[in-house]
Amino acid sequence: MTQRVNLAVVGAGLIGKRHIQHVLAEPSAQLSAVVDPAPVGETIAKEAGVKWFPNFADMIAADRPDGIIVATPNPAHVQNGLEAVEAGVPALIEKPIADDIISGEKLIAAAEAKGVPLLTGHHRRHNPMMQKVKEIIESGKLGRVLVVNAMFWLFKPDDYFDISWRRERGAGPVFLNLIHDVDNLRYLLGDVAAVQARESNAVRRNAVEETAVILIEFKNGVLGTATVSDAVVAPWSWEMTSGENPAYPKTEQSCYMIGGTHGSLAVPSLEVWRNPGKRSWWEPFDQTRIEVDDEDPLVLQIRQFCKVIRGDEPPLVSGREGLETLRVIDAVKRSAATGERIELN
């Protein structure tokens, strides 16, 4: 049997705790340490029966893991990533890979120069349903894909905003939520050429948007729209439709619509709509619902990280891929601020 990969989790907050539980349950991995300066980190490490360290430097001096999962607050991602690169330790870094483009480029350049694998925690790409969507698109079943519509519509209750940073610049559904959807769309349809966006904070009047609309131009000619709001009561979001996180009620709705010259696809329901004969608005539809295995993408992400560490396969979501998704979000924010169409290099 292949030897298990020793993984340390840096950051024992909400997502860090989920990673810790998944590593403990994963046959190909072994939790070696929890790194977190807070007392809760020490408690969690003790409960898991592993070593606890207050910081990366103390851990690497005492017990070098095969890889680390970085689940610290966003502003610490680059620093933690650079520490891992300097030590030659592969790192899976929660999204966003960085708070800004310049520091993200610095981290990616350092990792590539030293040949240290960096992965970004855009775990949705690992979902078997997403893999099936990509397979359907690439099979040609839809013909040439021309258009996509993505929705993130839900309501965050008032007490969500009791935590002050959620009301301040750098938060908001574009940066916190849309980044996942943009990564999904990039994975399915390729790189983005340009965006144009508008934002509103008409209801809560916080310093961040609560609603945004975005026009997306992909390099392959596909045109897309993304609408985002955390101030509407609605079922049309990945959270409410995918069943990926049991904390959210699952509906039988869809949040993405992908249209091609020979058919269209609803995601995540995997409903394919085609004309059985002649393609025409007068003709009836053939509707097919494609089944797919239901597996937790966070589990599959850790499993793939272990394979990357062993050298068995390249990352599904590399650090550079995470940076490219961040570039799109940065362009969206700049467009909303200036009203201009922003081209990406």
PDB file of all heavy atoms in Angstrom, residues 7-13 16 20 31-42 44-45 50-60 63 65 67-73 80 83:
ATOM      1  N   LEU A   7       0.022  15.629   6.174  1.00  0.00           N
ATOM      2  CA  LEU A   7      -0.475  16.976   5.897  1.00  0.00           C
ATOM      3  C   LEU A   7      -0.681  17.739   7.203  1.00  0.00           C
ATOM      4  O   LEU A   7      -1.253  17.201   8.159  1.00  0.00           O
ATOM      5  CB  LEU A   7      -1.809  16.917   5.145  1.00  0.00           C
ATOM      6  CG  LEU A   7      -1.805  16.267   3.762  1.00  0.00           C
ATOM      7  CD1 LEU A   7      -3.217  16.250   3.193  1.00  0.00           C
ATOM      8  CD2 LEU A   7      -0.862  17.008   2.810  1.00  0.00           C
ATOM      9  N   ALA A   8      -0.251  18.996   7.218  1.00  0.00           N
ATOM     10  CA  ALA A   8      -0.532  19.897   8.330  1.00  0.00           C
ATOM     11  C   ALA A   8      -1.558  20.924   7.866  1.00  0.00           C
ATOM     12  O   ALA A   8      -1.526  21.357   6.712  1.00  0.00           O
ATOM     13  CB  ALA A   8       0.736  20.602   8.794  1.00  0.00           C
ATOM     14  N   VAL A   9      -2.469  21.295   8.738  1.00  0.00           N
ATOM     15  CA  VAL A   9      -3.466  22.323   8.424  1.00  0.00           C
ATOM     16  C   VAL A   9      -3.096  23.593   9.179  1.00  0.00           C
ATOM     17  O   VAL A   9      -2.948  23.585  10.404  1.00  0.00           O
ATOM     18  CB  VAL A   9      -4.884  21.866   8.789  1.00  0.00           C
ATOM     19  CG1 VAL A   9      -5.886  23.001   8.565  1.00  0.00           C
ATOM     20  CG2 VAL A   9      -5.278  20.643   7.958  1.00  0.00           C
ATOM     21  N   VAL A  10      -2.920  24.674   8.430  1.00  0.00           N
ATOM     22  CA  VAL A  10      -2.558  25.973   9.003  1.00  0.00           C
ATOM     23  C   VAL A  10      -3.814  26.833   9.032  1.00  0.00           C
ATOM     24  O   VAL A  10      -4.332  27.227   7.990  1.00  0.00           O
ATOM     25  CB  VAL A  10      -1.445  26.654   8.164  1.00  0.00           C
ATOM     26  CG1 VAL A  10      -1.034  27.978   8.797  1.00  0.00           C
ATOM     27  CG2 VAL A  10      -0.251  25.728   7.999  1.00  0.00           C
ATOM     28  N   GLY A  11      -4.298  27.102  10.243  1.00  0.00           N
ATOM     29  CA  GLY A  11      -5.550  27.837  10.408  1.00  0.00           C
ATOM     30  C   GLY A  11      -6.661  26.894  10.829  1.00  0.00           C
ATOM     31  O   GLY A  11      -7.006  25.974  10.093  1.00  0.00           O
ATOM     32  N   ALA A  12      -7.214  27.121  12.006  1.00  0.00           N
ATOM     33  CA  ALA A  12      -8.238  26.212  12.546  1.00  0.00           C
ATOM     34  C   ALA A  12      -9.579  26.910  12.698  1.00  0.00           C
ATOM     35  O   ALA A  12     -10.314  26.685  13.659  1.00  0.00           O
ATOM     36  CB  ALA A  12      -7.769  25.641  13.888  1.00  0.00           C
ATOM     37  N   GLY A  13      -9.907  27.764  11.724  1.00  0.00           N
ATOM     38  CA  GLY A  13     -11.225  28.407  11.700  1.00  0.00           C
ATOM     39  C   GLY A  13     -12.266  27.483  11.086  1.00  0.00           C
ATOM     40  O   GLY A  13     -12.094  26.259  11.062  1.00  0.00           O
ATOM     41  N   GLY A  16     -10.878  25.591   8.091  1.00  0.00           N
ATOM     42  CA  GLY A  16      -9.762  24.785   8.590  1.00  0.00           C
ATOM     43  C   GLY A  16     -10.244  23.539   9.313  1.00  0.00           C
ATOM     44  O   GLY A  16      -9.696  22.440   9.134  1.00  0.00           O
ATOM     45  N   ILE A  20      -9.461  19.652   8.460  1.00  0.00           N
ATOM     46  CA  ILE A  20      -8.903  18.736   9.462  1.00  0.00           C
ATOM     47  C   ILE A  20      -9.711  17.446   9.507  1.00  0.00           C
ATOM     48  O   ILE A  20      -9.143  16.342   9.505  1.00  0.00           O
ATOM     49  CB  ILE A  20      -8.872  19.428  10.847  1.00  0.00           C
ATOM     50  CG1 ILE A  20      -7.763  20.482  10.878  1.00  0.00           C
ATOM     51  CG2 ILE A  20      -8.662  18.402  11.965  1.00  0.00           C
ATOM     52  CD1 ILE A  20      -7.860  21.440  12.048  1.00  0.00           C
ATOM     53  N   LEU A  31      -3.004  13.386   9.179  1.00  0.00           N
ATOM     54  CA  LEU A  31      -2.850  14.706   9.773  1.00  0.00           C
ATOM     55  C   LEU A  31      -1.640  14.696  10.699  1.00  0.00           C
ATOM     56  O   LEU A  31      -1.573  13.906  11.645  1.00  0.00           O
ATOM     57  CB  LEU A  31      -4.114  15.087  10.546  1.00  0.00           C
ATOM     58  CG  LEU A  31      -4.139  16.511  11.121  1.00  0.00           C
ATOM     59  CD1 LEU A  31      -4.183  17.542   9.997  1.00  0.00           C
ATOM     60  CD2 LEU A  31      -5.327  16.690  12.070  1.00  0.00           C
ATOM     61  N   SER A  32      -0.679  15.572  10.417  1.00  0.00           N
ATOM     62  CA  SER A  32       0.548  15.596  11.218  1.00  0.00           C
ATOM     63  C   SER A  32       0.548  16.698  12.261  1.00  0.00           C
ATOM     64  O   SER A  32       1.168  16.569  13.316  1.00  0.00           O
ATOM     65  CB  SER A  32       1.773  15.750  10.309  1.00  0.00           C
ATOM     66  OG  SER A  32       1.741  17.001   9.639  1.00  0.00           O
ATOM     67  N   ALA A  33      -0.148  17.819  11.963  1.00  0.00           N
ATOM     68  CA  ALA A  33      -0.134  18.941  12.903  1.00  0.00           C
ATOM     69  C   ALA A  33      -1.231  19.937  12.576  1.00  0.00           C
ATOM     70  O   ALA A  33      -1.732  19.999  11.448  1.00  0.00           O
ATOM     71  CB  ALA A  33       1.228  19.641  12.867  1.00  0.00           C
ATOM     72  N   VAL A  34      -1.595  20.717  13.586  1.00  0.00           N
ATOM     73  CA  VAL A  34      -2.475  21.876  13.422  1.00  0.00           C
ATOM     74  C   VAL A  34      -1.664  23.103  13.818  1.00  0.00           C
ATOM     75  O   VAL A  34      -1.027  23.123  14.878  1.00  0.00           O
ATOM     76  CB  VAL A  34      -3.736  21.767  14.298  1.00  0.00           C
ATOM     77  CG1 VAL A  34      -4.545  23.064  14.252  1.00  0.00           C
ATOM     78  CG2 VAL A  34      -4.589  20.585  13.851  1.00  0.00           C
ATOM     79  N   VAL A  35      -1.673  24.118  12.952  1.00  0.00           N
ATOM     80  CA  VAL A  35      -0.917  25.348  13.203  1.00  0.00           C
ATOM     81  C   VAL A  35      -1.896  26.500  13.342  1.00  0.00           C
ATOM     82  O   VAL A  35      -2.608  26.845  12.386  1.00  0.00           O
ATOM     83  CB  VAL A  35       0.077  25.628  12.059  1.00  0.00           C
ATOM     84  CG1 VAL A  35       0.862  26.911  12.339  1.00  0.00           C
ATOM     85  CG2 VAL A  35       1.009  24.449  11.849  1.00  0.00           C
ATOM     86  N   ASP A  36      -1.967  27.078  14.552  1.00  0.00           N
ATOM     87  CA  ASP A  36      -2.872  28.200  14.791  1.00  0.00           C
ATOM     88  C   ASP A  36      -2.488  28.811  16.135  1.00  0.00           C
ATOM     89  O   ASP A  36      -2.382  28.089  17.126  1.00  0.00           O
ATOM     90  CB  ASP A  36      -4.329  27.718  14.825  1.00  0.00           C
ATOM     91  CG  ASP A  36      -5.320  28.869  14.771  1.00  0.00           C
ATOM     92  OD1 ASP A  36      -5.241  29.762  15.636  1.00  0.00           O
ATOM     93  OD2 ASP A  36      -6.176  28.877  13.864  1.00  0.00           O
ATOM     94  N   PRO A  37      -2.280  30.131  16.188  1.00  0.00           N
ATOM     95  CA  PRO A  37      -1.830  30.741  17.444  1.00  0.00           C
ATOM     96  C   PRO A  37      -2.901  30.794  18.522  1.00  0.00           C
ATOM     97  O   PRO A  37      -2.583  30.962  19.701  1.00  0.00           O
ATOM     98  CB  PRO A  37      -1.419  32.157  17.020  1.00  0.00           C
ATOM     99  CG  PRO A  37      -2.234  32.432  15.790  1.00  0.00           C
ATOM    100  CD  PRO A  37      -2.360  31.113  15.088  1.00  0.00           C
ATOM    101  N   ALA A  38      -4.163  30.633  18.152  1.00  0.00           N
ATOM    102  CA  ALA A  38      -5.256  30.760  19.115  1.00  0.00           C
ATOM    103  C   ALA A  38      -5.384  29.505  19.983  1.00  0.00           C
ATOM    104  O   ALA A  38      -5.052  28.403  19.538  1.00  0.00           O
ATOM    105  CB  ALA A  38      -6.564  31.025  18.376  1.00  0.00           C
ATOM    106  N   PRO A  39      -5.884  29.656  21.207  1.00  0.00           N
ATOM    107  CA  PRO A  39      -6.089  28.496  22.077  1.00  0.00           C
ATOM    108  C   PRO A  39      -6.965  27.420  21.453  1.00  0.00           C
ATOM    109  O   PRO A  39      -6.761  26.226  21.687  1.00  0.00           O
ATOM    110  CB  PRO A  39      -6.765  29.107  23.314  1.00  0.00           C
ATOM    111  CG  PRO A  39      -6.320  30.532  23.334  1.00  0.00           C
ATOM    112  CD  PRO A  39      -6.198  30.927  21.900  1.00  0.00           C
ATOM    113  N   VAL A  40      -7.933  27.834  20.622  1.00  0.00           N
ATOM    114  CA  VAL A  40      -8.811  26.847  19.982  1.00  0.00           C
ATOM    115  C   VAL A  40      -8.018  25.919  19.073  1.00  0.00           C
ATOM    116  O   VAL A  40      -8.343  24.739  18.929  1.00  0.00           O
ATOM    117  CB  VAL A  40      -9.963  27.541  19.207  1.00  0.00           C
ATOM    118  CG1 VAL A  40      -9.434  28.309  18.000  1.00  0.00           C
ATOM    119  CG2 VAL A  40     -11.003  26.520  18.769  1.00  0.00           C
ATOM    120  N   GLY A  41      -6.940  26.442  18.472  1.00  0.00           N
ATOM    121  CA  GLY A  41      -6.084  25.612  17.625  1.00  0.00           C
ATOM    122  C   GLY A  41      -5.424  24.507  18.415  1.00  0.00           C
ATOM    123  O   GLY A  41      -5.365  23.343  17.975  1.00  0.00           O
ATOM    124  N   GLU A  42      -4.949  24.858  19.591  1.00  0.00           N
ATOM    125  CA  GLU A  42      -4.315  23.863  20.459  1.00  0.00           C
ATOM    126  C   GLU A  42      -5.336  22.812  20.903  1.00  0.00           C
ATOM    127  O   GLU A  42      -5.037  21.607  20.946  1.00  0.00           O
ATOM    128  CB  GLU A  42      -3.699  24.553  21.673  1.00  0.00           C
ATOM    129  CG  GLU A  42      -2.877  23.624  22.548  1.00  0.00           C
ATOM    130  CD  GLU A  42      -2.128  24.361  23.638  1.00  0.00           C
ATOM    131  OE1 GLU A  42      -2.382  25.567  23.851  1.00  0.00           O
ATOM    132  OE2 GLU A  42      -1.259  23.735  24.284  1.00  0.00           O
ATOM    133  N   ILE A  44      -8.099  21.892  19.282  1.00  0.00           N
ATOM    134  CA  ILE A  44      -8.450  21.047  18.132  1.00  0.00           C
ATOM    135  C   ILE A  44      -7.349  20.024  17.857  1.00  0.00           C
ATOM    136  O   ILE A  44      -7.621  18.856  17.565  1.00  0.00           O
ATOM    137  CB  ILE A  44      -8.728  21.923  16.891  1.00  0.00           C
ATOM    138  CG1 ILE A  44     -10.047  22.681  17.073  1.00  0.00           C
ATOM    139  CG2 ILE A  44      -8.763  21.079  15.619  1.00  0.00           C
ATOM    140  CD1 ILE A  44     -10.303  23.746  16.036  1.00  0.00           C
ATOM    141  N   ALA A  45      -6.090  20.457  17.959  1.00  0.00           N
ATOM    142  CA  ALA A  45      -4.968  19.535  17.753  1.00  0.00           C
ATOM    143  C   ALA A  45      -4.998  18.412  18.792  1.00  0.00           C
ATOM    144  O   ALA A  45      -4.789  17.235  18.462  1.00  0.00           O
ATOM    145  CB  ALA A  45      -3.645  20.287  17.822  1.00  0.00           C
ATOM    146  N   VAL A  50      -2.911  15.136  17.458  1.00  0.00           N
ATOM    147  CA  VAL A  50      -1.726  15.527  16.672  1.00  0.00           C
ATOM    148  C   VAL A  50      -1.014  16.690  17.349  1.00  0.00           C
ATOM    149  O   VAL A  50      -1.526  17.298  18.288  1.00  0.00           O
ATOM    150  CB  VAL A  50      -2.109  15.912  15.223  1.00  0.00           C
ATOM    151  CG1 VAL A  50      -2.787  14.746  14.518  1.00  0.00           C
ATOM    152  CG2 VAL A  50      -3.005  17.153  15.192  1.00  0.00           C
ATOM    153  N   LYS A  51       0.153  17.022  16.827  1.00  0.00           N
ATOM    154  CA  LYS A  51       0.945  18.110  17.391  1.00  0.00           C
ATOM    155  C   LYS A  51       0.313  19.465  17.067  1.00  0.00           C
ATOM    156  O   LYS A  51      -0.342  19.629  16.035  1.00  0.00           O
ATOM    157  CB  LYS A  51       2.372  18.064  16.850  1.00  0.00           C
ATOM    158  CG  LYS A  51       3.128  16.791  17.239  1.00  0.00           C
ATOM    159  CD  LYS A  51       4.481  16.732  16.538  1.00  0.00           C
ATOM    160  CE  LYS A  51       5.197  15.421  16.865  1.00  0.00           C
ATOM    161  NZ  LYS A  51       6.470  15.281  16.125  1.00  0.00           N
ATOM    162  N   TRP A  52       0.542  20.413  17.972  1.00  0.00           N
ATOM    163  CA  TRP A  52       0.071  21.784  17.771  1.00  0.00           C
ATOM    164  C   TRP A  52       1.266  22.721  17.765  1.00  0.00           C
ATOM    165  O   TRP A  52       2.208  22.560  18.547  1.00  0.00           O
ATOM    166  CB  TRP A  52      -0.871  22.198  18.892  1.00  0.00           C
ATOM    167  CG  TRP A  52      -1.149  23.683  18.913  1.00  0.00           C
ATOM    168  CD1 TRP A  52      -2.009  24.360  18.121  1.00  0.00           C
ATOM    169  CD2 TRP A  52      -0.546  24.666  19.770  1.00  0.00           C
ATOM    170  NE1 TRP A  52      -1.981  25.712  18.417  1.00  0.00           N
ATOM    171  CE2 TRP A  52      -1.091  25.922  19.439  1.00  0.00           C
ATOM    172  CE3 TRP A  52       0.413  24.587  20.792  1.00  0.00           C
ATOM    173  CZ2 TRP A  52      -0.719  27.096  20.079  1.00  0.00           C
ATOM    174  CZ3 TRP A  52       0.788  25.765  21.438  1.00  0.00           C
ATOM    175  CH2 TRP A  52       0.217  27.005  21.078  1.00  0.00           C
ATOM    176  N   PHE A  53       1.207  23.688  16.848  1.00  0.00           N
ATOM    177  CA  PHE A  53       2.230  24.728  16.778  1.00  0.00           C
ATOM    178  C   PHE A  53       1.551  26.076  16.606  1.00  0.00           C
ATOM    179  O   PHE A  53       0.551  26.191  15.887  1.00  0.00           O
ATOM    180  CB  PHE A  53       3.187  24.481  15.604  1.00  0.00           C
ATOM    181  CG  PHE A  53       3.938  23.180  15.693  1.00  0.00           C
ATOM    182  CD1 PHE A  53       3.473  22.053  15.012  1.00  0.00           C
ATOM    183  CD2 PHE A  53       5.092  23.065  16.448  1.00  0.00           C
ATOM    184  CE1 PHE A  53       4.150  20.852  15.089  1.00  0.00           C
ATOM    185  CE2 PHE A  53       5.780  21.867  16.530  1.00  0.00           C
ATOM    186  CZ  PHE A  53       5.310  20.754  15.851  1.00  0.00           C
ATOM    187  N   PRO A  54       2.109  27.134  17.221  1.00  0.00           N
ATOM    188  CA  PRO A  54       1.498  28.462  17.082  1.00  0.00           C
ATOM    189  C   PRO A  54       1.798  29.128  15.742  1.00  0.00           C
ATOM    190  O   PRO A  54       1.085  30.026  15.323  1.00  0.00           O
ATOM    191  CB  PRO A  54       2.114  29.257  18.237  1.00  0.00           C
ATOM    192  CG  PRO A  54       3.437  28.591  18.489  1.00  0.00           C
ATOM    193  CD  PRO A  54       3.222  27.133  18.190  1.00  0.00           C
ATOM    194  N   ASN A  55       2.862  28.674  15.054  1.00  0.00           N
ATOM    195  CA  ASN A  55       3.200  29.281  13.763  1.00  0.00           C
ATOM    196  C   ASN A  55       3.953  28.282  12.887  1.00  0.00           C
ATOM    197  O   ASN A  55       4.405  27.233  13.353  1.00  0.00           O
ATOM    198  CB  ASN A  55       4.021  30.558  13.959  1.00  0.00           C
ATOM    199  CG  ASN A  55       5.268  30.317  14.789  1.00  0.00           C
ATOM    200  OD1 ASN A  55       6.138  29.533  14.417  1.00  0.00           O
ATOM    201  ND2 ASN A  55       5.350  30.977  15.945  1.00  0.00           N
ATOM    202  N   PHE A  56       4.094  28.653  11.617  1.00  0.00           N
ATOM    203  CA  PHE A  56       4.723  27.776  10.630  1.00  0.00           C
ATOM    204  C   PHE A  56       6.186  27.508  10.976  1.00  0.00           C
ATOM    205  O   PHE A  56       6.667  26.385  10.848  1.00  0.00           O
ATOM    206  CB  PHE A  56       4.605  28.402   9.238  1.00  0.00           C
ATOM    207  CG  PHE A  56       5.187  27.556   8.137  1.00  0.00           C
ATOM    208  CD1 PHE A  56       4.414  26.622   7.469  1.00  0.00           C
ATOM    209  CD2 PHE A  56       6.533  27.689   7.771  1.00  0.00           C
ATOM    210  CE1 PHE A  56       4.952  25.838   6.461  1.00  0.00           C
ATOM    211  CE2 PHE A  56       7.077  26.908   6.761  1.00  0.00           C
ATOM    212  CZ  PHE A  56       6.283  25.981   6.103  1.00  0.00           C
ATOM    213  N   ALA A  57       6.900  28.546  11.404  1.00  0.00           N
ATOM    214  CA  ALA A  57       8.337  28.402  11.696  1.00  0.00           C
ATOM    215  C   ALA A  57       8.586  27.361  12.776  1.00  0.00           C
ATOM    216  O   ALA A  57       9.509  26.526  12.652  1.00  0.00           O
ATOM    217  CB  ALA A  57       8.918  29.749  12.113  1.00  0.00           C
ATOM    218  N   ASP A  58       7.775  27.379  13.834  1.00  0.00           N
ATOM    219  CA  ASP A  58       7.937  26.396  14.904  1.00  0.00           C
ATOM    220  C   ASP A  58       7.659  24.988  14.388  1.00  0.00           C
ATOM    221  O   ASP A  58       8.348  24.031  14.751  1.00  0.00           O
ATOM    222  CB  ASP A  58       6.996  26.713  16.064  1.00  0.00           C
ATOM    223  CG  ASP A  58       7.465  27.916  16.877  1.00  0.00           C
ATOM    224  OD1 ASP A  58       8.526  28.476  16.541  1.00  0.00           O
ATOM    225  OD2 ASP A  58       6.760  28.297  17.838  1.00  0.00           O
ATOM    226  N   MET A  59       6.641  24.863  13.539  1.00  0.00           N
ATOM    227  CA  MET A  59       6.307  23.543  13.013  1.00  0.00           C
ATOM    228  C   MET A  59       7.428  22.994  12.130  1.00  0.00           C
ATOM    229  O   MET A  59       7.857  21.842  12.293  1.00  0.00           O
ATOM    230  CB  MET A  59       5.012  23.595  12.188  1.00  0.00           C
ATOM    231  CG  MET A  59       4.661  22.252  11.540  1.00  0.00           C
ATOM    232  SD  MET A  59       3.439  22.386  10.225  1.00  0.00           S
ATOM    233  CE  MET A  59       4.347  23.301   8.974  1.00  0.00           C
ATOM    234  N   ILE A  60       7.911  23.814  11.196  1.00  0.00           N
ATOM    235  CA  ILE A  60       8.894  23.320  10.233  1.00  0.00           C
ATOM    236  C   ILE A  60      10.210  22.969  10.922  1.00  0.00           C
ATOM    237  O   ILE A  60      10.954  22.085  10.464  1.00  0.00           O
ATOM    238  CB  ILE A  60       9.110  24.347   9.093  1.00  0.00           C
ATOM    239  CG1 ILE A  60       9.551  23.634   7.811  1.00  0.00           C
ATOM    240  CG2 ILE A  60      10.088  25.430   9.481  1.00  0.00           C
ATOM    241  CD1 ILE A  60       8.467  22.828   7.151  1.00  0.00           C
ATOM    242  N   ASP A  63       8.833  19.471  12.924  1.00  0.00           N
ATOM    243  CA  ASP A  63       8.137  18.354  12.283  1.00  0.00           C
ATOM    244  C   ASP A  63       7.730  18.746  10.871  1.00  0.00           C
ATOM    245  O   ASP A  63       6.665  19.325  10.662  1.00  0.00           O
ATOM    246  CB  ASP A  63       6.906  17.961  13.113  1.00  0.00           C
ATOM    247  CG  ASP A  63       6.211  16.726  12.571  1.00  0.00           C
ATOM    248  OD1 ASP A  63       6.870  15.925  11.901  1.00  0.00           O
ATOM    249  OD2 ASP A  63       4.994  16.585  12.815  1.00  0.00           O
ATOM    250  N   PRO A  65       6.115  18.514   7.434  1.00  0.00           N
ATOM    251  CA  PRO A  65       5.097  17.711   6.757  1.00  0.00           C
ATOM    252  C   PRO A  65       5.407  17.545   5.272  1.00  0.00           C
ATOM    253  O   PRO A  65       6.298  18.214   4.734  1.00  0.00           O
ATOM    254  CB  PRO A  65       3.834  18.544   6.951  1.00  0.00           C
ATOM    255  CG  PRO A  65       4.331  19.952   6.947  1.00  0.00           C
ATOM    256  CD  PRO A  65       5.709  19.921   7.571  1.00  0.00           C
ATOM    257  N   GLY A  67       3.084  18.224   3.059  1.00  0.00           N
ATOM    258  CA  GLY A  67       2.341  19.318   2.456  1.00  0.00           C
ATOM    259  C   GLY A  67       1.537  20.041   3.510  1.00  0.00           C
ATOM    260  O   GLY A  67       1.314  19.519   4.607  1.00  0.00           O
ATOM    261  N   ILE A  68       1.103  21.276   3.195  1.00  0.00           N
ATOM    262  CA  ILE A  68       0.260  22.022   4.131  1.00  0.00           C
ATOM    263  C   ILE A  68      -0.998  22.508   3.429  1.00  0.00           C
ATOM    264  O   ILE A  68      -0.996  22.757   2.214  1.00  0.00           O
ATOM    265  CB  ILE A  68       0.983  23.228   4.777  1.00  0.00           C
ATOM    266  CG1 ILE A  68       1.320  24.307   3.716  1.00  0.00           C
ATOM    267  CG2 ILE A  68       2.211  22.794   5.537  1.00  0.00           C
ATOM    268  CD1 ILE A  68       1.705  25.647   4.326  1.00  0.00           C
ATOM    269  N   ILE A  69      -2.070  22.609   4.199  1.00  0.00           N
ATOM    270  CA  ILE A  69      -3.305  23.231   3.738  1.00  0.00           C
ATOM    271  C   ILE A  69      -3.434  24.556   4.473  1.00  0.00           C
ATOM    272  O   ILE A  69      -3.458  24.586   5.708  1.00  0.00           O
ATOM    273  CB  ILE A  69      -4.525  22.335   4.020  1.00  0.00           C
ATOM    274  CG1 ILE A  69      -4.379  21.005   3.265  1.00  0.00           C
ATOM    275  CG2 ILE A  69      -5.814  23.041   3.616  1.00  0.00           C
ATOM    276  CD1 ILE A  69      -5.453  19.981   3.624  1.00  0.00           C
ATOM    277  N   VAL A  70      -3.485  25.650   3.723  1.00  0.00           N
ATOM    278  CA  VAL A  70      -3.544  26.987   4.313  1.00  0.00           C
ATOM    279  C   VAL A  70      -4.994  27.446   4.364  1.00  0.00           C
ATOM    280  O   VAL A  70      -5.632  27.650   3.323  1.00  0.00           O
ATOM    281  CB  VAL A  70      -2.693  27.989   3.508  1.00  0.00           C
ATOM    282  CG1 VAL A  70      -2.866  29.408   4.057  1.00  0.00           C
ATOM    283  CG2 VAL A  70      -1.225  27.576   3.534  1.00  0.00           C
ATOM    284  N   ALA A  71      -5.518  27.587   5.585  1.00  0.00           N
ATOM    285  CA  ALA A  71      -6.904  28.014   5.778  1.00  0.00           C
ATOM    286  C   ALA A  71      -6.959  29.172   6.770  1.00  0.00           C
ATOM    287  O   ALA A  71      -7.869  29.272   7.595  1.00  0.00           O
ATOM    288  CB  ALA A  71      -7.741  26.841   6.272  1.00  0.00           C
ATOM    289  N   THR A  72      -5.982  30.041   6.673  1.00  0.00           N
ATOM    290  CA  THR A  72      -5.893  31.218   7.531  1.00  0.00           C
ATOM    291  C   THR A  72      -6.745  32.352   6.948  1.00  0.00           C
ATOM    292  O   THR A  72      -7.246  32.237   5.818  1.00  0.00           O
ATOM    293  CB  THR A  72      -4.428  31.670   7.631  1.00  0.00           C
ATOM    294  OG1 THR A  72      -3.886  31.764   6.303  1.00  0.00           O
ATOM    295  CG2 THR A  72      -3.607  30.677   8.434  1.00  0.00           C
ATOM    296  N   PRO A  73      -6.932  33.473   7.661  1.00  0.00           N
ATOM    297  CA  PRO A  73      -7.631  34.620   7.070  1.00  0.00           C
ATOM    298  C   PRO A  73      -6.949  35.081   5.776  1.00  0.00           C
ATOM    299  O   PRO A  73      -5.720  34.961   5.625  1.00  0.00           O
ATOM    300  CB  PRO A  73      -7.535  35.688   8.165  1.00  0.00           C
ATOM    301  CG  PRO A  73      -7.441  34.898   9.441  1.00  0.00           C
ATOM    302  CD  PRO A  73      -6.624  33.685   9.088  1.00  0.00           C
ATOM    303  N   ASN A  80       1.824  32.907   4.338  1.00  0.00           N
ATOM    304  CA  ASN A  80       1.882  31.466   4.609  1.00  0.00           C
ATOM    305  C   ASN A  80       2.384  30.690   3.395  1.00  0.00           C
ATOM    306  O   ASN A  80       3.165  29.743   3.526  1.00  0.00           O
ATOM    307  CB  ASN A  80       0.500  30.944   5.009  1.00  0.00           C
ATOM    308  CG  ASN A  80      -0.038  31.549   6.295  1.00  0.00           C
ATOM    309  OD1 ASN A  80      -1.235  31.806   6.417  1.00  0.00           O
ATOM    310  ND2 ASN A  80       0.838  31.796   7.260  1.00  0.00           N
ATOM    311  N   GLU A  83       6.156  31.130   3.068  1.00  0.00           N
ATOM    312  CA  GLU A  83       6.848  30.312   4.059  1.00  0.00           C
ATOM    313  C   GLU A  83       6.959  28.867   3.576  1.00  0.00           C
ATOM    314  O   GLU A  83       8.013  28.235   3.709  1.00  0.00           O
ATOM    315  CB  GLU A  83       6.096  30.358   5.395  1.00  0.00           C
ATOM    316  CG  GLU A  83       6.220  31.677   6.141  1.00  0.00           C
ATOM    317  CD  GLU A  83       5.368  31.712   7.394  1.00  0.00           C
ATOM    318  OE1 GLU A  83       4.278  31.096   7.415  1.00  0.00           O
ATOM    319  OE2 GLU A  83       5.781  32.372   8.369  1.00  0.00           O
TER     320      GLU A  83
END
